[in-house]
Amino acid sequence: MRISFFIGSMIRGGAERVISLLANHYCRSGWNVDIVLLLANKVEYDLDEKIHIIDLTASGNSYAQKALSWLPKIRAYLKEKKPERVVSFVARINALVLTASVGLKTKIIVSERNDPKHDGRSTAMQVYCDLLYRRSAGVVFQTEYEQSCFSDEVQKMGVVIPNPVSVGIKAKQGGDVLRIVTAGRLAEQKNQKMLIEAVHKISAEFPNLECYIYGEGPLEQFLKGEIDKKGLNEVVFLPGNVKNIHEKVSEASVFVMTSDYEGLSNALIEAMMIGVPCITTDYPGARELIVDKQNGKVVPCNDVDALAKALVEILSNAALAKRYAEAAEISARTYSAEVVLNKWNSFIEMV
C-alpha cells in the first residue's frame, strides 16, 4: 500500500508537523510513504529513512505560473505511482491535486488547515474548493468552525479530526525568572506585536520577567524594531526556530497565543499537553481548545489591555496558574497522537 502526502514544504509549521507524525506512523505500519513537496524541497522534521521525499517544486513569479508546471507534474506522479491513498494539506494545494487528478481513480482526502474566511484565499478560490471537494474521497477539518464554512454537501463528506500532538516532556516547576513563551511564524496572522505591547505594559511590575517569541518569518525585523522602540531588548527575545521547542515551552510560566485567526494551533495544544498555563486570543475555533477561566484564559483579539491583565493574573497567582495548567493538561489528552492517529486510520480505511 502506498500513501502520499502533498504539502508545500516540510519547513517547521503546524501542518508540516502533522504530516511528519502521520508519515512516520504509516511508515512504521508497513506502508510505502511519499511526501510530495510543491514549494520548497526542505525538510526540518525527523522522518523515517524509508520515507520518500518527492520534489515537484516549480519556478515562476505567481501562483498561476507555477500551477501550469505543477498540474502536469502532479498528474504524472499520480499516474506513475498509483497511490492507494492521497492526503493533501492546505486549500490551494488541495485544489491543485484534485484538478490534476480529474479522470483518474485516485482516492484523495483533502485536509483544511486554516480559517477559510481569513487565510487569504479569494472568494473564487473558496467556491472552487467547495465544488472540487465534492470530488474528493473525504474532507478532514481541524475544527467544527472550519467545517461550518463549507456547503452542506461538503460538510456531510467531512470529519473533524484535530491535530495529533506528541510531547515527551512536562512543565518544570518554579524558578526565579518568570518566562512568557510563544511559538509561531513571525507573520501578521500571529500578531506577536500584541504580545510585545502587553509585555511593555507589565514589565515594570515584574522585574524578573522574560519573554521568548520562537519562530521565523517576514516580520522578524519589524518585531525587532518594536522591541527596540519600547526599550525591551533585555526582556523580549527572538531566538528563531529551535529543535527543542518543547523543552523551551516547558520552562514557561505562561504560554501565549495572540493570533488573529488559526486553524487549530499545534503550538497551543502542545503547551497545554506539557502542562503550562495558557492564554489565547478569541479567534474562531479558539474556544474548542480553551474554555475561559476553566483551563486557561481567552482574551479578545488585538486587545492589548485584556492580554496584559490576563498575564498579571497568572504571573502573580501561582495557585491559579497551577489550576489552569492541570486542567489544560487533562483537556489536551484528546489530542494525543495515539488517539488522533486512530481517528485518521479509521477515516482512511473507511474511504
Side-chain angles (χ1 to χ4, degrees):
M1 295 281 284
R2 180 179 299 276
I3 186 167
S4 303
F5 297 95
F6 279 77
I7 188 68
S9 75
M10 286 299 288
I11 297 171
R12 292 191 178 276
E16 295 80 3
R17 187 180 297 116
V18 173
I19 287 180
S20 71
L21 291 171
L22 288 171
N24 282 329
H25 167 74
Y26 281 107
C27 188
R28 289 192 296 268
S29 299
W31 291 56
N32 290 314
V33 178
D34 293 346
I35 299 178
V36 184
L37 305 179
L38 300 183
L39 292 174
N41 185 18
K42 186 175 182 180
V43 177
E44 293 184 346
Y45 287 92
D46 293 329
L47 299 173
D48 192 293
E49 60 182 12
K50 294 189 291 293
I51 293 173
H52 307 102
I53 302 299
I54 310 298
D55 182 5
L56 297 187
T57 54
S59 59
N61 295 322
S62 68
Y63 175 81
Q65 288 177 326
K66 292 178 179 178
L68 293 174
S69 174
W70 279 324
L71 288 170
K73 288 182 178 180
I74 294 170
R75 187 173 181 83
Y77 167 83
L78 294 175
K79 291 176 73 174
E80 177 187 354
K81 297 296 184 180
K82 295 181 174 59
E84 280 77 13
R85 298 290 186 276
V86 167
V87 184
S88 174
F89 283 68
V90 185
R92 285 180 175 151
I93 294 176
N94 297 342
L96 282 168
V97 175
L98 286 170
T99 300
S101 70
V102 170
L104 304 179
K105 295 181 179 180
T106 313
K107 293 183 177 180
I108 299 171
I109 296 168
V110 295
S111 182
E112 279 286 327
R113 311 306 303 176
N114 217 328
D115 180 346
K117 294 183 178 179
H118 296 94
D119 69 355
R121 76 185 73 177
S122 64
T123 301
M125 176 58 75
Q126 176 63 4
V127 171
Y128 189 55
C129 284
D130 197 279
L131 291 171
L132 273 179
Y133 286 5
R134 301 173 199 192
R135 290 190 54 255
S136 72
V139 187
V140 175
F141 302 97
Q142 295 181 103
T143 64
E144 293 178 3
Y145 163 75
E146 282 180 7
Q147 190 174 31
S148 73
C149 294
F150 289 83
S151 64
D152 289 345
E153 185 175 347
V154 172
Q155 289 187 44
K156 290 175 183 177
M157 297 172 60
V159 63
V160 175
I161 302 179
N163 293 342
V165 175
S166 178
V167 299
I169 194 169
K170 294 300 180 185
K172 295 179 171 60
Q173 301 297 318
D176 296 329
V177 177
L178 295 174
R179 289 186 177 88
I180 300 170
V181 170
T182 190
R185 182 167 164 76
L186 306 184
E188 188 174 354
Q189 169 191 352
K190 304 296 185 179
N191 197 9
Q192 290 98 344
K193 179 175 181 287
M194 175 185 178
L195 177 57
I196 294 170
E197 291 177 348
V199 170
H200 181 246
K201 284 181 173 291
I202 69 171
S203 57
E205 187 173 347
F206 299 95
N208 57 339
L209 184 67
E210 293 178 354
C211 176
Y212 293 88
I213 301 174
Y214 292 97
E216 297 176 352
L219 292 189
E220 181 175 352
Q221 293 305 314
F222 169 77
L223 295 174
K224 285 181 178 178
E226 290 297 302
I227 292 167
D228 185 61
K229 186 164 58 178
K230 290 178 170 55
L232 294 173
N233 290 299
E234 301 301 318
V235 178
V236 182
F237 306 96
L238 301 176
N241 286 334
V242 296
K243 288 190 174 182
N244 62 335
I245 185 62
H246 291 167
E247 182 176 342
K248 298 300 184 183
V249 172
S250 74
E251 298 169 350
S253 306
V254 59
F255 182 90
V256 180
M257 176 61 61
T258 52
S259 296
D260 294 330
Y261 64 91
E262 283 284 343
L264 190 68
S265 171
N266 279 7
L268 179 56
I269 297 171
E270 288 168 354
M272 294 168 66
M273 194 172 286
I274 288 169
V276 174
C278 297
I279 302 171
T280 182
T281 43
D282 196 12
Y283 57 82
R287 290 176 186 263
E288 294 182 39
L289 289 177
I290 298 290
V291 179
D292 189 42
K293 298 181 182 179
Q294 292 187 26
N295 63 344
K297 290 285 294 181
V298 180
V299 300
C301 288
N302 211 33
D303 189 332
V304 174
D305 289 338
L307 176 56
K309 181 180 177 182
L311 284 168
V312 170
E313 287 180 8
I314 290 177
L315 293 172
S316 60
N317 189 332
L320 179 66
K322 185 173 185 289
R323 178 162 65 84
Y324 285 161
E326 290 175 348
E329 188 175 355
I330 292 170
S331 59
R333 290 173 185 169
T334 187
Y335 304 100
S336 70
E338 182 180 0
V339 171
V340 176
L341 289 173
N342 284 336
K343 292 181 180 180
W344 272 97
N345 279 337
S346 297
F347 190 63
I348 288 171
E349 290 174 8
M350 179 190 72
V351 165

